[in-house]
């Protein structure tokens, strides 16, 4: 395909072209969806290094298994399924439970892409925002892997439950149950944070100048396509 044809092609056409031997089709497909694939890997794995490994595992699997795509779901759903399962496989194998702070782009990637930093940010406000994100993500890390994956897809990425179930290759009821249990557990873990924020909302403590957006880095370009 020419660059123009790659740009106009549907996801399914790109996947078929890749299967037929087009050397650029899979890269174009990944580039089209890289932001959300990266967000899913990052939030599921918990840190950039492991997220990059999980994303690469998923892309290698998708690259090699493309010929087996049955077309019973959207290509993007299939890609997310492969990446999510690759990340879960890594978590199950390594029992990743790291304590280092996670990237501060949990909210920024919800809208896809990075947010430019405001030049008039108050460092104190940024510090509070960073601490809040760290506490939320630390709590998220304490959930069982399957609950975390369900919450990432449904609550953070905004996928319908049915689509998340297709990505995780489980029943809709299972995703609902995992999300319900995960939310209940997060509410317990984050109770002190929610109480503190409630106190901070009191007029006596309210900051009249809301903080500006926090700068976040771009997602990685992704691993080179396997040979």
């Amino acid at each position: 395909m020419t660059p123009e044809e790659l740009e106009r092609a549907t996801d399914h056409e790109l996947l078929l072209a890749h299967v037929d031997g087009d050397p650029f089709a899979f890269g174009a497909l990944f580039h089209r969806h890289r932001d959300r694939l990266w967000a899913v890997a990052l939030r599921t794995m918990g840190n950039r290094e492991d997220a990059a490994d999980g994303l690469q595992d998923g892309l290698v699997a998708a690259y090699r298994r493309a010929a087996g795509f049955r077309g019973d779901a959207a290509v993007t759903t299939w890609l997310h399924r492969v990446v999510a399962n690759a990340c879960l496989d890594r978590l199950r194998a390594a029992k990743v439970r790291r304590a280092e702070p996670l990237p501060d782009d949990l909210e920024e990637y919800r809208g896809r892409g990075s947010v430019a930093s405001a030049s008039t940010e108050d460092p104190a406000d940024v510090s509070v925002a960073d601490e809040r994100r760290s506490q939320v993500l630390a709590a998220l890390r304490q959930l069982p892997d399957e609950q975390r994956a369900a919450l990432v897809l449904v609550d953070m990425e905004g996928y319908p439950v049915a689509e998340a179930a297709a990505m995780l290759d489980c029943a809709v009821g299972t995703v609902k149950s995992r999300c319900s249990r995960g939310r209940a557990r997060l509410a317990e873990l984050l109770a002190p944070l929610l109480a503190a924020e409630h106190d901070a909302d009191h007029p006596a403590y309210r900051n009249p100048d809301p903080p500006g957006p926090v700068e976040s880095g771009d997602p990685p370009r992704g691993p080179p396509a396997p040979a």
Side-chain angles (χ1 to χ4, degrees):
M1 287 186 174
T2 65
E4 293 77 15
E5 290 172 333
L6 291 171
E7 181 69 24
R8 294 194 303 267
T10 65
D11 290 348
H12 197 191
E13 289 170 342
L14 288 175
L15 197 62
L16 289 176
H18 162 62
V19 173
D20 289 339
D22 189 298
F24 304 108
F26 190 84
L29 180 63
F30 167 67
H31 180 77
R32 183 176 293 178
H33 300 291
R34 73 185 183 105
D35 287 349
R36 295 195 76 176
L37 292 172
W38 168 246
V40 167
L42 178 62
R43 294 164 179 170
T44 302
M45 297 302 296
N47 61 76
R48 289 181 178 273
E49 181 180 353
D50 291 320
D53 289 339
L55 180 59
Q56 177 161 321
D57 288 351
L59 292 179
V60 169
Y63 185 95
R64 293 174 175 171
R65 300 174 189 168
F69 175 67
R70 301 187 302 272
D72 54 351
V75 172
T76 183
T77 299
W78 175 75
L79 283 173
H80 280 75
R81 177 194 301 167
V82 175
V83 170
N85 284 325
C87 290
L88 286 173
D89 286 344
R90 274 192 166 264
L91 287 171
R92 294 180 187 120
K95 300 296 181 184
V96 176
R97 292 293 184 270
R98 299 193 178 183
E100 66 267 27
L102 298 181
D104 58 4
D105 50 8
L106 177 65
E107 296 173 1
E108 285 78 1
Y109 274 107
R110 185 183 184 92
R112 297 190 62 184
S114 61
V115 178
S117 175
S119 59
T120 58
E121 297 180 288
D122 185 335
D125 290 331
V126 173
S127 177
V128 170
D130 286 347
E131 177 61 23
R132 183 185 303 117
R133 291 189 185 96
S134 293
Q135 292 182 51
V136 171
L137 291 167
L140 189 63
R141 282 199 302 270
Q142 296 185 48
L143 299 181
D145 300 337
E146 289 78 8
Q147 289 180 20
R148 186 193 318 168
L151 284 177
V152 165
L153 292 173
V154 175
D155 288 357
M156 296 180 182
E157 287 302 301
Y159 285 106
V161 172
E163 194 167 353
M167 292 175 186
L168 297 173
D169 197 22
C170 63
V172 168
T174 300
V175 173
K176 290 181 178 179
S177 176
R178 289 174 181 175
C179 286
S180 178
R181 293 198 301 270
R183 290 169 190 145
R185 179 57 178 153
L186 280 180
E188 294 176 3
L189 294 170
L190 294 174
L193 174 62
L194 295 175
E197 289 187 348
H198 175 56
D199 291 341
D201 279 339
H202 190 281
Y205 297 100
R206 191 171 297 145
N207 184 347
D209 298 317
V214 180
E215 182 177 6
S216 65
D218 289 332
R221 294 291 179 181

